[in-house]
Each structure stands twice: as C-alpha cells, then as structure tokens.
Amino acid sequence: MYPTIIQWIPKPWLCTIQQMEYINHGKSEIDKRLLHKKSSSHSIFVVTSGKGLMVYTDRESHLEKGMIMFVPAGTPIKIEGSPWTESNLQYYKLDLVVAEVKEDISDHSPTIITTEQQEFLKGIEAQEALPLIQLSYSPWSSCLEALEQMLRQQVTGDWLEQWEVQLHFQEWFRALLQQSAPETELPDDRARLQSSIRYIGDHYDQTITVDELAADIGLTRASYTRQFKKITGKLPLEYVNAVRLERSKQLLQLTDDRIHEIAQNVGFSSEYYFGRRFKQYAGISPGLYRRHHRQEVRVFAPYLEDFVLALGVKPVLQCSHHSWGRQHYLGLDDVPEFDVSQMDAQFNLSNVPDFIMLNKGYDRWNLDRFEQVAPTFYVDHLGEDWRSILRSTADVLGKVNRVQDVIGAYEDKAMEAKSRLARYMRGQTVAFLRISASDITLYGDQQGYVGPVIYQDLGLTPHSRVQQWTRHERRIPIGLDQLSQLNADHLLITFDTGNSAKPGDERELLDRDEWKRLSAVKSGNVYEVDFMSWMNYGVISHGKKIEDVLRFMA
C-alpha cells in the first residue's frame, strides 16, 4: 500500500520549520544538480516552475510545476533540472523539525525527543531508503501565497514575527495533510469546487479571476463556471461579489470606517463601483444601510406593513383602499391612513416618510412617483417566499437580530396547529373561495395567499378539484357549473367588495341553489374569514389564518 505522510510523522502538530529556502536551478552543469544528503529533518519540496527529476536510490520521480514532494528524514536524494525546458526548475524547500512527547517512566514527566535523536537511536543509516510521498494542495494560488508570506517573514529577528511564521506554517501544513489524506488524494470535482469556494471566502478582499480559480483546481473556465453555478446558484464572480457585499454589511454596522475604506477592505476598486454594486445587491445605498442600523426610521410600506410591524417597527402611515378598507388585523388604529386607490394622493407635512418600501404591485397604484420624496426599496421576492421578504425587510431596517425569533415563533405555532388538526380532520377535504359581486375565485394548493399556509404548513387536504383545476396557479375563476362539483367537506370563504355596486352585492351567491346544494353548506361547514388578513402575505397575516382554521375546524 502506498505510504502516507502520517506514517512518518505520528504527531504532525509538533512540526515546526527548521529552515525554508527558495531554490532556482540555472542552466549551468553545477546549477542543474542539487545533492540532498541524508538529513535528520523531513523535507517538503514545492515545485513552482520548470521541470526536473528527483533521484533516490534506484528510483526517480519527475518534477513539474504544481507538484509537492515529502522526503522523509534519512533519505538521500539528487535533484536535476531539465536542460530541455525554457524555464528553470524552481521550488520551495522546507526542512521540518519534529518533537515527540514521550512519558518518562521514572517520574511521569514529559520528555522532548527530537527527530535527530530518534533517527540516531533507530540507526537510520542502516535502514533501506524510505519512500517519497507526493502530496496535493488546492487552490494552488493559495498554497503559493502562504509559502511566499512565510519566506518573507522568516528573515526577521523579532520573536513575535517568527512565531507568526510558525502559525502560518501550521495552517498551511494542516491544509496540506487534509487534502493529501488517502480518502482525498483524488478529490472529485465537487470536492475541489468546495475547496475553491472556501478559498473565495478567505481571499475575497484580493483580486480574483475566474481563470485563476478554474486553473487552481484543474478545470476549464467553462466547466468550472457550469459546476460552480450548479453548487452555489450563482456565477463565480456573482458569488465573489456577494461574499464581499455581505462582509461590507458587517463593517457598515459594526465600524465607523468611511465608505471608501470599507470598499477597499472588501476588495472593490472604487467607492463609486462599490456603492453601485451595494445598491443593486441590498436595495439601498451603503450610507442609508448604516443609518437604518443605528437609528429608528420613519417608514411607509404599503401592503408590506405586516413585515415591518412583525419586526417591531411601526410605520408612519398605513395603506388603505376605498373599497377594501385598511388592514384592521394589524391593530394600527393610531396610524394615519394613506388611500392607495387615489392616484393623486400626497403625503401630509406631518407624515412624510424617511424611507419607502414597495412590493411588485407598486405600479398598480402608481406609487413609484414617490421615489423623489424618500429613498425607495423594492421587494423583489414573490409573496409566497415571505421568509425572504422578512429577511430583506429586516436587513434594510436594521432589525436582522429579530428575524429568526419571528420565523421560529410562526413555525412553532404552525407545527402545533398541524398536530391538532390531524386529530380532527383525518383526511377531510378543504377548499378556499374568494367571492365578489361578479366572480367566484378558487385558490390553489401550492401558491397564493392561502395554499402554502392551509395545505402545506397546516397539512389540510385540498379537494381533488382544487388540485385538478388550479394546476399550481395562485387562483382561477370558476363558474356555477364548476362550483357544483366542489364538494369539499369544508369551505373557507371571504367576500371581496371591490366591485360591489351596493352593500351586499357580493353575497348574492349565497341565495342560489347551486350554493345551497354544496356538501359543506348542507353540513354547516362553511366559514367566513376576514378579507384583509387572508388576502395578504406576512407572518402576522399567516398567523391569523392559523388561528381562524383552529377556531373553525379543531
């Protein structure tokens, strides 16, 4: 079996550098050869350029750029540069000292025995030559960077800097051993990509190119990019910028560094480019992001009040609609209303916001006209992904520390409710209808305001027609013929007054025979719910849905 470095260094954490040098073979006959006599030190050779041979006893190993060879103590070798290559053979040579702790039988005190003493006692001169071991390190640029730093620092006489050299060596040596272990000698592409991703996380503040990242792990640029996106969901440079920008958020929150200093610290070449990238990524400027994390903000967030309030921020205004009213379930009775259905509505001097948040429905209400009033953040997540909306909201409002508690409380509530409902419902079917004066709307089981909560979070069973007709749509209009086929055991309904000519128009359906013949109607299992709390996304809204379902069905 091919040996491993651990066989020759039982306690590798006791290794230190005895000597380190960088060797450049010239073209002369003298320079082309280097004789490395038997040594009491283990040695590591890291080839950075050119080609050559490492000769020992009756065997030889080819050397070329990227190879790392471990030579056990007591092994005589000869290194030859190749005269047929344009570039000289160049390599780092590290001589290691290994101290092994052994217990003194007489007084049980630890005794340090050096490798030199061990080899002498073993009579290493009489032994056959030990085998050489080829090692691996990826990314290659990270390996060279660490070695260059150690070589540069080792010339100092300052003991603290010498200690730094040993610390850097330990980090480098640990990575070398981990990557050279038998189970990782031939890592697959995914393992090498994970190594590359770790490299980005450690070196995001430096210049990084896709070509270098790909070359470091032996892949073509196209293959690297394709596999990188498969693992991370991002292109390599998108991922690099995301790492940099996340780090910049931390610096904006925790330090008083100037914006241009933060930009440089995380790897951006200019403050302007950093600011542009940051706003694309976070939705607001770096300066505004910092202010929100240090002081309370006056926010206007039409139909996003649920998210703002869940994080403990009371908006300066709440949206309302002349037909639907306002979101009473939020309890914002002391907050002035802003009617979004009035296209020319303006802010009063007393409630001009510092910051505006808008979702994808902003164009329906012409709300982007207020971009000139205050900095505006556009939520780009779909409503079903309310957790991501909550995280984005927390990020721009400086309330990140509250997010997990809010989400955790909801999930605990949903899990408990699901357990209770399972005992009562036992496979009985459910459907949800939104009823107006002109339409009957059936909500689907996968998307929309309703489906993800009642069918997924609570585990209720949708009627077969729900799955058949909606086909993963948020909602579909249905006629009276289809309504007659909707014989679910339970019906949840809400009334939309948006197009009612007079009060009560939306309830005329309840007087029709098609309605009265439904199974749920005849058995008394029809439950009317609040329009606003059910026709909204958000943790508070969804919590109200859970409470309603428990009240009616459990």
Side-chain angles (χ1 to χ4, degrees), residues 424-458:
Y424 287 97
M425 296 298 288
R426 297 188 179 181
Q428 297 179 69
T429 60
V430 179
F432 183 92
L433 297 173
R434 173 174 171 169
I435 303 169
S436 72
S438 58
D439 298 300
I440 306 170
T441 302
L442 175 68
Y443 275 74
D445 62 327
Q446 298 292 320
Q447 301 182 67
Y449 301 125
V450 176
V453 179
I454 67 173
Y455 300 125
Q456 296 174 35
D457 293 349
L458 298 183

Side-chain angles (χ1 to χ4, degrees), residues 210-211 214 219-229 235-236:
V210 179
D211 288 332
L219 293 176
T220 65
R221 180 189 176 103
S223 178
Y224 179 87
T225 299
R226 182 178 63 256
Q227 295 186 52
F228 191 97
K229 186 170 184 181
L235 295 172

Side-chain angles (χ1 to χ4, degrees), residues 234-248:
K234 292 183 172 68
L235 295 172
L237 291 185
E238 289 176 344
Y239 184 87
V240 171
N241 279 331
V243 171
R244 289 170 172 168
L245 291 166
E246 284 299 323
R247 176 56 179 156
S248 72

Side-chain angles (χ1 to χ4, degrees), residues 3 67 83 104 129 138 195 229 292 331 379 401 432 436 440 535:
M67 292 184 66
D104 190 316
S138 178
S195 173
K229 186 170 184 181
H292 286 182
V379 172
N401 61 327
F432 183 92
S436 72
I440 306 170
M535 297 293 101

